[in-house]
Amino acid sequence: MTATLQRTGETRAPSTHGRQRLGRRLWGDRWLYFFLLPTAVLYGLYTLWPILASYWYSLLDWNGFDADKKFVGIANYREVFADPLFWNTLKITGLFMVITVPLRVGASLLIAVVLNHPRLPFVRLFRTAFFLPVVTTTAIVGVVMQFIFDPASGPVNLALMKADIASQGIDFLGSSSTALWTVMGVHTWKWLGVTMIYWLAALQTIPRELHEAARVDGANGWQVFRHVSLPMLTPFLVIITLLTVEQNLQIFDLMLTMTNGGPMYATEVIEIYIYRWAFTASVPRLGFASAAAVVFGLVMLVVAVVQYLGIRAARSSVGEQR
């Protein structure tokens, strides 16, 4: 009995001591938690709560304005999957990704390699020029591009007609055959600077001694890039590609301001599809739009998991190289 009481006392003593240490630690970091509190509250209100609310709204037949709400279960999900326009938006979003991600990653790598040359003059000026569109508000870029690609007086069409490439103005944003490709080009130009910075940071990790040793052995510029730089950039290629995929899924503001999903749904990506049903349809359906948003969120979750696995594999590869 005495031994049992002693063991119980020994068990409780560390537990009490642990709680006291935890209490002292929390009190010692009280200012840290105090300054984090506004961020935590705002994150909960504007990020966590909308996500949780979307799951609940997706089970309702509700227009988002009236007080009448009807629980319909998974009926909204069935309707979303039966809607041909939903699959059309997924196809357009997928096409946008397939074209713009390789284009953006490849073009930015070429620019970064050129701007990483130690004897290139005005290198800071060129880097600033390529990064400048990134800091410009996307909605403003979209509005300005409407004037630039205007079929009657836009500078692009005036230049094409002056060079005798086109006999009349081309409606780049008003034609279903050219609108999506035009937005792809503008989006790639807009965000090229971010990917270029990624590549410049990756290139800085390659020791210059390796390049100099390869040149001493008689390798030319292409051979140095092919056999020295490119193998060491492969782990970064995985990370940069996954980051670009995630960024290119968020094209709502540019697509909305340039085409608003038109003409005839030719540029309607999944984000505009959700926005249309939630706010701009003649009869808004917040429940239906929430169901589509939940499906899109699950797709993003899959992308995030793939991103995590890719980054972990890339880090392991970098560790093995070192």
Side-chain angles (χ1 to χ4, degrees):
M1 183 68 175
T2 305
T4 305
L5 290 174
Q6 286 178 347
R7 283 198 298 272
T8 306
E10 290 173 356
T11 306
R12 288 179 178 174
S15 177
T16 305
H17 183 64
R19 286 197 295 269
Q20 290 175 349
R21 286 182 57 189
L22 179 61
R24 284 197 299 270
R25 191 172 170 183
L26 291 174
W27 177 254
D29 296 336
R30 61 188 181 280
W31 290 111
L32 175 66
Y33 296 113
F34 177 76
F35 287 113
L36 284 176
L37 184 61
T39 301
V41 171
L42 292 176
Y43 181 78
L45 286 176
Y46 295 105
T47 302
L48 291 181
W49 168 246
I51 292 175
L52 296 176
S54 295
Y55 280 89
W56 169 242
Y57 294 155
S58 67
L59 304 176
L60 302 176
D61 182 12
W62 184 37
N63 61 15
F65 299 100
D66 297 336
D68 296 333
K69 303 173 186 175
K70 181 182 178 182
F71 184 80
V72 294
I74 61 172
N76 285 327
Y77 290 95
R78 289 176 178 168
E79 195 172 351
V80 165
F81 290 125
D83 186 3
L85 287 180
F86 172 74
W87 297 107
N88 180 62
T89 60
L90 287 184
K91 186 183 72 173
I92 293 172
T93 305
L95 178 63
F96 193 93
M97 301 292 297
V98 169
I99 300 297
T100 58
V101 171
L103 180 62
R104 184 174 154 187
V105 173
S108 60
L109 173 61
L110 294 178
I111 295 172
V113 170
V114 173
L115 295 183
N116 195 51
H117 197 284
R119 291 194 293 272
L120 181 71
F122 308 112
V123 64
R124 292 186 178 181
L125 177 64
F126 289 130
R127 290 179 181 180
T128 303
F130 280 107
F131 194 76
L132 200 58
V134 177
V135 297
T136 308
T137 306
T138 306
I140 294 177
V141 170
V143 173
V144 171
M145 287 300 165
Q146 288 184 355
F147 293 100
I148 290 178
F149 288 104
D150 186 88
S153 58
V156 172
N157 274 301
L158 293 178
L160 292 176
M161 287 188 287
K162 190 172 183 179
D164 291 331
I165 297 176
S167 58
Q168 58 183 0
I170 302 173
D171 195 358
F172 287 99
L173 300 177
S175 171
S176 58
S177 60
T178 57
L180 184 61
W181 300 98
T182 304
V183 179
M184 286 181 182
V186 174
H187 182 273
T188 303
W189 163 80
K190 169 80 172 63
W191 296 107
L192 196 68
V194 173
T195 320
M196 179 196 72
I197 294 298
Y198 296 158
W199 281 123
L200 284 173
L203 289 168
Q204 301 298 318
T205 64
I206 302 175
R208 292 194 179 279
E209 292 80 8
L210 295 178
H211 290 170
E212 294 170 358
R215 292 186 185 281
V216 169
D217 291 340
N220 56 31
W222 166 249
Q223 290 171 331
V224 171
F225 176 75
R226 170 69 181 82
H227 298 288
V228 178
S229 300
L230 202 55
M232 301 194 72
L233 290 175
T234 303
F236 298 98
L237 173 64
V238 176
I239 298 174
I240 292 173
T241 301
L242 291 173
L243 289 174
T244 306
V245 167
E246 185 180 6
Q247 292 174 354
N248 282 18
L249 280 172
Q250 302 168 14
I251 50 177
F252 171 77
D253 41 7
L254 185 64
M255 198 69 83
L256 185 72
T257 51
M258 288 189 69
T259 65
N260 196 19
M264 293 301 294
Y265 309 108
T267 61
E268 188 176 67
V269 292
I270 184 67
E271 292 170 305
I272 294 183
Y273 177 84
I274 296 168
Y275 174 77
R276 176 167 63 84
W277 278 110
F279 303 108
T280 63
S282 56
V283 181
R285 298 184 60 193
L286 190 62
F288 180 83
S290 298
V294 169
V295 174
F296 181 57
L298 294 177
V299 173
M300 293 289 289
L301 182 62
V302 172
V303 173
V305 171
V306 174
Q307 183 180 17
Y308 169 75
L309 296 176
I311 290 176
R312 194 173 67 170
R315 284 178 176 173
S316 301
S317 177
V318 171
E320 291 174 358
Q321 287 183 3
R322 289 179 179 174

